[in-house]
Amino acid sequence: MIKYLTLWKKEGQEEPYVSLTRKKMLINGEEVLIEWEVGHSIRTLAMHRNAYKRMSQIQAFLGSVPQLTYQLYVTLISAEVPQGRAVLMAFSLISVTYGATLCNMLAIQIKYDEYKIRLGLLEVLCITIWRTLEITSRLLILVLFSATLKLKAVPFLLLNFLIILFEPWVKFWRSGAQMPSNIEKNFSRVGTLVVLISVTILYAGINFSCWSALQLKLADRDLVEKGQNWGHMGLHYSVRLVENVIMILVFKFFGVKVLLNYCHSLIALQLIIAYLISIGFMLLFFQYLHPLRSLFTHNIADYLHCVCCHQHPRGRVEDLEPAFDTEARQSIV
């Protein structure tokens, strides 16, 4: 607020310090270089605004996710939903969805830093529906699984979290790279290690409930993988889908009947369908609504074509090869 008030008081005054900012922008499929002057106060304000966005993500996933999970668990055990608890769960879900949406926007900005990106209402709406369905179905499945097995579910959940937590460190160790020492000039090696541990804890907390949209690369100064890693995204959703099916089957066959007054099979089917619909919205976003989809070497349709091609006999593929090449060129947006 102090930064905003300072900028408001300086409104109309010409700043002595300005810098030029250059960004590329896609207009009708063509790259256009845009250049504009940015004042010192505007740059400082943007830095604080970006820091606020990062803190919103930390608050959403390390604060709201445990709160929402706990309230869902209490609701299932007590079989009642007071008005105060319903309001708290609604605000927690909004907070988590907001944080997940920011994660997607941040991932796009980091991966395409040289481009000026604009997300329209339709794109934001698609991301919001995708994240809401993904997070809600995932947390409900975790709560039903935990309520069914009680303390027996703790080792499974803890192992799941630890695998996500140590995955970036295992990749860092296998790469043989040195620990980055220039993340921040004022940080010692101990401070850098504390930052890396904090980032991996946040990364694991996000991936435990939904896809983080970014892949950590601890050997890099920017700490993230800037390429469009389709394999990582596909692996994450495949593993999560298998996990969700296993947990929902445990609830269906071993769930206590007094836990809910509804059919367990119907609940299990609805949650799996909701998770599959969220994956569908994710595919829709990357295929048609991504602001820089024209920069993709391959898109979702290309990967689906490749999967279908491996299922056909070799002779049939050779006969349809020219048509496939034409379709592949047309599918690259």
Side-chain angles (χ1 to χ4, degrees):
M1 293 303 297
I2 292 176
K3 291 296 178 182
Y4 273 105
L5 290 175
T6 303
L7 182 63
W8 179 66
K9 291 179 180 179
K10 291 183 178 180
E11 187 178 8
Q13 299 180 7
E14 185 177 353
E15 286 193 296
Y17 303 104
V18 295
S19 60
L20 293 178
T21 300
R22 296 181 178 89
K23 291 283 185 180
K24 296 178 182 177
M25 193 171 181
L26 291 178
I27 300 177
N28 296 326
E30 297 183 358
E31 292 187 0
V32 178
L33 184 63
I34 301 176
E35 184 180 278
W36 67 96
E37 293 184 351
V38 179
H40 179 71
S41 59
I42 297 294
R43 185 177 294 278
T44 304
L45 184 63
M47 180 183 65
H48 282 262
R49 185 178 64 249
N50 291 333
Y52 176 77
K53 290 181 179 178
R54 311 301 186 267
M55 291 303 299
S56 297
Q57 295 173 9
I58 296 173
Q59 181 273 332
F61 289 101
L62 300 187
S64 298
V65 168
Q67 181 66 251
L68 180 59
T69 306
Y70 174 71
Q71 297 298 336
L72 286 171
Y73 184 85
V74 172
T75 301
L76 288 172
I77 297 300
S78 62
E80 59 179 1
V81 188
Q83 183 177 2
R85 188 187 303 156
V87 172
L88 179 59
M89 287 192 295
F91 274 104
S92 298
L93 179 60
I94 293 172
S95 175
V96 177
T97 306
Y98 173 70
T101 305
L102 282 183
C103 271
N104 276 90
M105 296 179 179
L106 175 63
I108 296 173
Q109 291 174 357
I110 290 177
K111 291 177 181 178
Y112 305 98
D113 183 56
E114 68 274 16
Y115 288 88
K116 185 174 179 62
I117 299 168
R118 291 179 180 176
L119 283 174
L121 179 61
L122 187 59
E123 290 87 343
V124 175
L125 182 62
C126 182
I127 295 175
T128 303
I129 296 175
W130 156 27
R131 291 309 202 171
T132 303
L133 290 174
E134 179 184 0
I135 294 170
T136 305
S137 56
R138 172 70 176 174
L139 291 183
L140 278 172
I141 291 173
L142 287 172
V143 168
L144 291 174
F145 178 75
S146 303
T148 300
L149 297 184
K150 301 289 192 302
L151 292 177
K152 294 180 181 178
V154 174
F156 175 81
L157 299 178
L158 185 61
L159 178 63
N160 196 320
F161 181 80
L162 291 178
I163 290 175
I164 304 172
L165 180 64
F166 289 110
E167 177 199 4
W169 290 99
V170 171
K171 290 182 177 179
F172 174 73
W173 174 70
R174 292 182 62 183
S175 67
Q178 299 293 326
M179 183 177 297
S181 57
N182 56 347
I183 292 179
E184 185 64 35
K185 295 180 179 179
N186 297 327
F187 284 173
S188 62
R189 290 187 64 87
V190 175
T192 301
L193 183 62
V194 171
V195 170
L196 294 180
I197 293 175
S198 303
V199 169
T200 51
I201 291 175
L202 177 61
Y203 175 76
I206 296 174
N207 272 284
F208 192 73
S209 55
C210 66
W211 182 51
S212 64
L214 284 173
Q215 185 180 9
L216 280 186
K217 189 176 180 181
L218 300 180
D220 196 305
R221 182 181 180 276
D222 294 325
L223 301 180
V224 293
E225 178 67 48
K226 290 190 175 183
Q228 189 65 39
N229 198 330
W230 298 107
H232 180 265
M233 182 178 68
L235 179 64
H236 173 88
Y237 278 102
S238 300
V239 172
R240 282 290 176 262
L241 183 59
V242 173
E243 283 182 0
N244 290 341
V245 171
I246 293 174
M247 289 190 291
I248 209 67
L249 289 177
V250 170
F251 161 72
K252 181 183 182 301
F253 291 109
F254 301 102
V256 183
K257 294 300 181 184
V258 297
L259 188 64
L260 291 170
N261 296 324
Y262 301 99
C263 176
H264 284 197
S265 300
L266 182 60
I267 295 172
L269 183 62
Q270 288 176 339
L271 289 175
I272 294 300
I273 290 176
Y275 194 79
L276 290 175
I277 293 175
S278 71
I279 295 177
F281 273 97
M282 180 266 293
L283 296 177
L284 174 66
F285 173 76
F286 280 101
Q287 176 65 30
Y288 298 108
L289 300 177
H290 195 285
L292 298 175
R293 62 189 181 278
S294 60
L295 300 179
F296 294 166
T297 306
H298 301 286
N299 55 24
I300 302 297
D302 295 328
Y303 285 101
L304 294 178
H305 278 306
C306 291
V307 172
C308 294
C309 283
H310 288 299
Q311 295 178 354
H312 290 293
R314 181 179 299 273
R316 184 176 178 85
V317 173
E318 292 176 355
D319 294 338
L320 298 179
E321 187 174 1
F324 170 76
D325 290 340
T326 303
E327 288 183 13
R329 285 194 297 269
Q330 291 176 352
S331 64
I332 299 177
V333 182

